[in-house]
Amino acid sequence: MIALAGLMACGGGFFYIKDKANAPGLNTQSTRVLIEPGLGVSAIAARLKTADVIAEPLVFRIWARLTEAHTKLRAGEYELPARASVVDILNILQSGKTVVHKLTIAEGLTVTEALLIVQDAEGLEGPITAIPNEGWLLPETYHFAWGETRNDLIGRMADDMGEVLAKVWDERPEDYALKSAEEVLILASIVEKETGIAAERPKIAAVFLNRLKRGMRLQSDPTVVYVLTDGGGALGRALNREDLKIDSPYNTYRVFGLPPAPIANPGRAALEAVVHPDTTSALYFVADGSGGHVFANTLKEHNKNVRKWRVIKRQRAD
């Protein structure tokens, strides 16, 4: 404050500082600066100097105190435009409009895969101590500010899944085949892993619901992959006959009904497909070689489609 008093005592000192505070800054392009909680105006000025945004920290400190902005500066990560003046920077640091980061959890990832993305996300803090159950993270693009904890973001993902699942469950038709929202989540996770084509989800959901109604096994390959990888993600190879014999409540080639829990995190569309399936008599489907599936009402028709798919696979291998 001695420097401030001395400068203000000089003739025209105020207007000198004002001109300096309104002069363009040093940075020739947009610059991000992180202001941690608890930093005082002197430390912030030093941070801006280090980032080559301002030339004279003293001018920043004096103008901040003259305008009483020094009591209103807010922590966070800020995007400072090119040539931002001290006045501009003080306005930005008082606004609280921090940089928004984005993190995307894709449909069909397991909880393990999703948590690895959260763990590696720049700007999040703290260890992951709250591990949600499989299937209970809503695939979505999430926004967060620098310094938000990983547990808080995971909590938001879980809360969002709970809200979406409850809404979808409330939309179920009368005499619906599944008995609970949790069963919807389980089947939706299987549907999600079976196809990446949005238009197919309602039909694949219908096939599985038809099989459940008839007491048939679901015979879904992704449930076996989930067992073999312990929920870690992709298997990295094709399933073989021995894989289909593995003893697990998740192996839908051996057990009847649904597995005990989801095998991935399904998106909104998969959840809605399970509650609003297509009207079809189909009981089978197999890859058609173009990224989609071909459906069949009878085992005979299905076996014919399987033979076609095997020919396509052999041709690709050759």
Side-chain angles (χ1 to χ4, degrees):
M1 293 303 293
I2 294 176
L4 173 58
L7 189 57
M8 291 300 99
C10 299
F14 172 83
F15 295 103
Y16 173 83
I17 292 298
K18 182 179 179 181
D19 288 343
K20 285 282 189 178
N22 281 283
L26 297 179
N27 53 321
T28 58
Q29 59 186 9
S30 179
T31 303
R32 287 189 181 184
V33 176
L34 178 63
I35 307 300
E36 291 96 342
L39 286 186
V41 67
S42 295
I44 293 173
R47 178 68 53 84
L48 296 170
K49 170 66 174 175
T50 301
D52 291 326
V53 175
I54 63 173
E56 302 178 71
L58 180 60
V59 172
F60 182 89
R61 299 200 306 268
I62 291 173
W63 194 252
R65 293 185 184 279
L66 282 174
T67 58
E68 298 185 347
H70 67 293
T71 63
K72 304 171 186 175
L73 304 182
R74 302 168 68 175
E77 184 186 16
Y78 293 91
E79 189 88 32
L80 304 179
R83 300 298 188 186
S85 68
V86 166
V87 172
D88 295 331
I89 294 170
L90 286 170
N91 287 335
I92 292 170
L93 299 189
Q94 292 176 84
S95 72
K97 296 179 180 178
T98 56
V99 173
V100 176
H101 293 263
K102 294 192 296 184
L103 178 151
T104 299
I105 302 299
E107 293 89 346
L109 295 182
T110 64
V111 162
T112 296
E113 292 174 301
L115 293 186
L116 287 174
I117 293 173
V118 174
Q119 180 63 48
D120 292 341
E122 183 180 11
L124 291 174
E125 295 184 351
I128 298 174
T129 58
I131 309 297
N133 292 330
E134 187 66 78
W136 283 94
L137 298 178
L138 183 68
E140 190 64 85
T141 295
Y142 291 89
H143 298 84
F144 64 91
W146 189 285
E148 182 173 350
T149 69
R150 292 178 174 84
N151 278 347
D152 284 346
L153 181 58
I154 292 168
R156 278 202 279 142
M157 296 176 179
D159 289 344
D160 286 354
M161 177 58 88
E163 292 176 8
V164 170
L165 181 59
K167 181 178 181 297
V168 170
W169 176 247
D170 286 343
E171 296 172 353
R172 68 191 185 281
E174 293 184 10
D175 302 322
Y176 186 56
L178 301 182
K179 300 176 182 179
S180 67
E182 287 73 20
E183 288 192 352
V184 170
L185 185 65
I186 293 170
L187 185 54
S189 73
I190 298 173
V191 171
E192 191 72 81
K193 297 297 288 186
E194 285 284 4
T195 183
I197 299 177
E200 283 193 344
R201 292 188 185 111
K203 193 163 187 178
I204 286 179
V207 169
F208 286 135
L209 288 167
N210 288 343
R211 293 178 73 90
L212 288 172
K213 290 174 185 176
R214 293 191 176 211
M216 300 171 66
R217 295 183 180 91
L218 295 185
Q219 296 184 317
S220 170
D221 288 358
T223 64
V224 180
V225 171
Y226 185 78
V227 177
L228 294 173
T229 62
D230 196 25
L235 181 60
R237 63 170 175 81
L239 291 174
N240 56 48
R241 291 183 181 275
E242 290 304 310
D243 293 332
L244 304 186
K245 298 176 183 179
I246 189 170
D247 184 15
S248 168
Y250 285 88
N251 182 1
T252 55
Y253 279 87
R254 293 195 60 173
V255 301
F256 289 91
L258 295 168
I263 61 169
N265 297 296
R268 297 170 188 260
L271 291 165
E272 291 171 353
V274 169
V275 171
H276 303 291
D278 279 355
T279 300
T280 177
S281 300
L283 293 170
Y284 308 91
F285 61 88
V286 68
D288 62 6
S290 64
H293 295 83
V294 58
F295 296 80
N297 293 350
T298 66
L299 181 58
K300 181 179 180 180
E301 183 183 0
H302 175 63
N303 287 337
K304 182 179 178 182
N305 293 332
V306 170
R307 287 193 293 272
K308 289 181 180 179
W309 168 234
R310 287 173 178 167
V311 169
I312 293 172
K313 288 201 295 182
R314 283 197 298 270
Q315 290 173 341
R316 288 179 177 176
D318 294 339

